[in-house]
Amino acid sequence: GIYTHTSTNTVGCDSVSTLFLTINACNSILNLKAYLQGYYTGANTMASVLMNQGESFNSAICDTIVVTLYDEITFAPLYSIPSILHTDGTTTCNFPALSGNFYIGLSHRNTINTWSALPVTFGALPVNYNFTTSPAMAYGANLVEVEIGVWALYSGDISQDENIDLSDFSILEIDINNFGSGYLPSDINGDGNVDLGDVPILESNINAF
């Protein structure tokens, strides 16, 4: 926009300046909270997975996720950013300045892609969204209770085909036989090793379809 500014010096003379300014809108901020089933250790805490897998020295970090905003009518992905999920389940995402309603989608390397139950309104004020309080916070109530009143995203989609099934178990079995360790999606419990400790959650979710 074009703005004029009038100033007066010490002897009373006026000076008028014309300014050409571009005012950039602030980013739209999303404060998100979510737990990942396999990494949940109890008492509203997840494991320090990236540290366990040799990718970080920060014990407050759980893992990386991708947060995507989808069009409320066409369901097309519009904005997608990687984000750090902390062990307390929190992450903050900075999107371009937005105005409108969007589904919030959260994806992770061994977790079922999960959306908000309904479109969420974005605008000038920060948005807070918490997947952990109720299955009603997720589209299709697609959450699992990890302790009384605490809900998490389903773990075990190692192949990232949006199902937890025998194809995921095959990957897990191969990595167990190969004594897999480090940054592997088959490390369901996030302890840094792929072993029999990763089987129970995957097997339970397969049986629950």
Side-chain angles (χ1 to χ4, degrees), residues 149-162:
V150 180
W151 300 81
L153 280 65
Y154 282 97
S155 293
D157 185 14
I158 302 170
S159 65
Q160 289 292 280
D161 64 356
E162 299 302 331

Side-chain angles (χ1 to χ4, degrees), residues 66-70 76-81 95 103-107 115:
V66 175
V67 180
T68 303
L69 300 184
Y70 296 87
L78 299 177
Y79 306 95
S80 187
I81 60 171
F95 290 98
Y103 283 99
I104 300 169
L106 193 160
S107 58
W115 289 24

Side-chain angles (χ1 to χ4, degrees), residues 9-171:
N9 63 17
T10 55
V11 294
C13 295
D14 290 337
S15 175
V16 179
S17 300
T18 300
L19 308 176
F20 297 88
L21 301 177
T22 300
I23 308 299
N24 293 319
C26 296
N27 287 350
S28 291
I29 297 173
L30 170 62
N31 297 310
L32 187 68
K33 186 169 185 179
Y35 295 130
L36 309 181
Q37 179 191 14
Y39 299 163
Y40 190 77
T41 58
N44 298 299
T45 303
M46 291 185 292
S48 304
V49 176
L50 291 182
M51 187 171 72
N52 293 342
Q53 295 181 345
E55 298 293 321
S56 171
F57 294 104
N58 188 343
S59 63
I61 289 175
C62 178
D63 204 353
T64 56
I65 59 173
V66 175
V67 180
T68 303
L69 300 184
Y70 296 87
D71 186 275
E72 65 172 328
I73 297 173
T74 67
F75 308 120
L78 299 177
Y79 306 95
S80 187
I81 60 171
S83 191
I84 294 292
L85 187 66
H86 293 90
T87 53
D88 64 358
T90 61
T91 189
T92 297
C93 306
N94 288 282
F95 290 98
L98 301 172
S99 179
N101 301 319
F102 307 89
Y103 283 99
I104 300 169
L106 193 160
S107 58
H108 172 260
R109 57 194 168 116
N110 66 17
T111 303
I112 289 287
N113 191 340
T114 304
W115 289 24
S116 58
L118 297 168
V120 177
T121 301
F122 281 75
L125 297 177
V127 173
N128 300 308
Y129 200 87
N130 190 342
F131 280 103
T132 73
T133 58
S134 167
M137 298 303 291
Y139 193 91
N142 201 28
L143 296 171
V144 59
E145 194 171 27
V146 288
E147 65 178 330
I148 296 175
V150 180
W151 300 81
L153 280 65
Y154 282 97
S155 293
D157 185 14
I158 302 170
S159 65
Q160 289 292 280
D161 64 356
E162 299 302 331
N163 293 292
I164 300 175
D165 51 29
L166 292 177
S167 68
D168 301 297
F169 195 87
S170 296
I171 298 171

